[in-house]
Amino acid sequence: HTIQHIGLYDPKSGVETISSQMLALEAFDHMFSKNLSSLGIVDEEGKLVGNLSVSDLQGLHANYMAAAATLALRILEFLKIKTYLQKTAPVEINESLPELRAIAVRKEITLRELLALISKKRVHRAYVIDATSKPIGVITLTDIIRMFCEKCAVELE
């Protein structure tokens, strides 16, 4: 069964995104004002080019001045420098989206394929994209666990 067939994501709910031209500080402010844990990053054509999550703030407290300067950068530059400063290599996800740190999948992917990819890439979310690489949905580990719990609850009744 595909993720679309089993209703694992709702294409009507959309994906909360920010422009790749937005400053990091503005992006985090937007995330926190909407009470979100992550945002998709899109280019000027609306194509998915990255992922920003609350965990991207980890490690910035060590040097306040460096953190302040880093947050004044555009979001993609912030993510590149943050990765370098933490001395961790970015996780290679899709060949077309090497710095995404989440995965991009089509709605035709099966649940089995999605689970294997999430496990292999050690990520917390998968963006569902259309044929032009524009985000149309997002699936989190919480969504997947909730789906299994709901299925188990129905079978136990």
Side-chain angles (χ1 to χ4, degrees), residues 93-106:
I93 304 302
N94 301 55
E95 289 179 21
S96 61
L97 300 169
E99 296 174 4
L100 186 57
R101 294 175 8 268
I103 52 177
V105 299
R106 304 262 188 243

Side-chain angles (χ1 to χ4, degrees), residues 8-131:
L8 193 51
Y9 81 99
D10 181 5
K12 294 176 186 167
S13 65
V15 178
E16 190 72 33
T17 61
I18 54 171
S19 165
S20 61
Q21 297 302 306
M22 186 176 272
L23 299 180
L25 188 60
E26 294 171 325
F28 283 112
D29 181 59
H30 180 78
M31 184 187 314
F32 293 128
S33 69
K34 299 259 184 174
N35 198 29
L36 300 170
S37 61
S38 69
L39 294 165
I41 303 170
V42 295
D43 65 11
E44 58 279 349
E45 297 175 10
K47 293 180 181 180
L48 188 68
V49 296
N51 174 67
L52 180 70
S53 70
V54 174
S55 64
D56 290 318
L57 287 172
Q58 292 176 347
L60 289 183
H61 58 81
N63 182 334
Y64 176 77
M65 292 305 287
T70 305
L71 288 169
L73 296 171
R74 297 209 188 283
I75 195 62
L76 291 179
E77 289 301 311
F78 163 82
L79 291 172
K80 288 176 189 173
I81 289 173
K82 180 198 145 302
T83 299
Y84 173 76
L85 290 175
Q86 288 185 335
K87 295 184 172 118
T88 58
V91 178
E92 186 177 330
I93 304 302
N94 301 55
E95 289 179 21
S96 61
L97 300 169
E99 296 174 4
L100 186 57
R101 294 175 8 268
I103 52 177
V105 299
R106 304 262 188 243
K107 62 186 177 183
E108 297 83 15
I109 193 172
T110 66
L111 178 59
R112 180 184 306 254
E113 292 167 327
L114 177 63
L115 290 172
L117 199 52
I118 285 174
S119 177
K120 179 181 177 186
K121 301 298 183 179
R122 301 177 61 117
V123 296
H124 298 258
R125 67 190 49 82
Y127 288 93
V128 182
I129 57 172
D130 65 14

